[in-house]
Amino acid sequence: MTLITGIVNLRGAIHVSDRLTTLLSNGRPFDPLANKTIIYLCDGAVVTIGYTGIAYISGRPTDVWIAEQLVGQDIDPRFGFGQLPVPHRNIYAALELLRNSLERELKTLGSPHFALLVT
């Protein structure tokens, strides 16, 4: 089960989620390196992006796949994301790019359960 909540008000934003992906059948860790939330810094915004649903997209852990879409390059998750060079785009352009990429991928997967929370 994935637990994600986000709150935004005049004082700031809070994004809270569990981290570990697990198997539905027994609750054991599915991929101990995967995360359900990433932090994305772009022109004019710092956001958290959390997901629930499928743990892999195109053979990549979903958090890695999301980060790769946003930075426009492959990432080796064994070495962490660190501070990758991010193309200069505002948050609206970044989220539109991510939405389009997700729509294409989820169509090929038969529209599985999937949701994003951007805070």
Side-chain angles (χ1 to χ4, degrees):
M1 174 189 289
T2 296
L3 305 169
I4 302 173
T5 189
I7 299 171
V8 179
N9 63 31
L10 293 176
R11 293 184 180 191
I14 298 172
H15 178 105
V16 181
S17 74
D18 61 327
R19 184 197 74 76
L20 192 60
T21 57
T22 57
L23 294 170
L24 289 178
S25 59
N26 61 18
R28 290 195 176 148
F30 177 70
D31 184 343
L33 295 179
N35 287 290
K36 294 180 189 168
T37 296
I38 65 170
I39 298 171
Y40 179 62
L41 168 67
C42 65
D43 288 348
V46 177
V47 297
T48 55
I49 302 172
Y51 73 90
T52 181
I54 56 175
Y56 280 77
I57 297 177
S58 293
R60 310 287 287 155
T62 300
D63 62 323
V64 174
W65 184 90
I66 290 170
E68 288 175 341
Q69 301 310 300
L70 294 171
V71 300
Q73 68 184 51
D74 290 343
I75 298 169
D76 188 337
R78 296 174 299 168
F79 302 110
F81 297 179
Q83 292 184 341
L84 297 169
V86 177
H88 292 285
R89 63 172 68 100
N90 65 38
I91 189 60
Y92 303 107
L95 291 178
E96 181 69 13
L97 175 120
L98 184 57
R99 183 180 69 84
N100 291 334
S101 297
L102 272 170
E103 283 180 352
R104 276 193 308 276
E105 290 295 328
L106 295 179
K107 241 183 236 182
T108 65
L109 294 171
S111 298
H113 168 74
F114 190 84
L116 282 180
L117 175 66
V118 179
T119 307

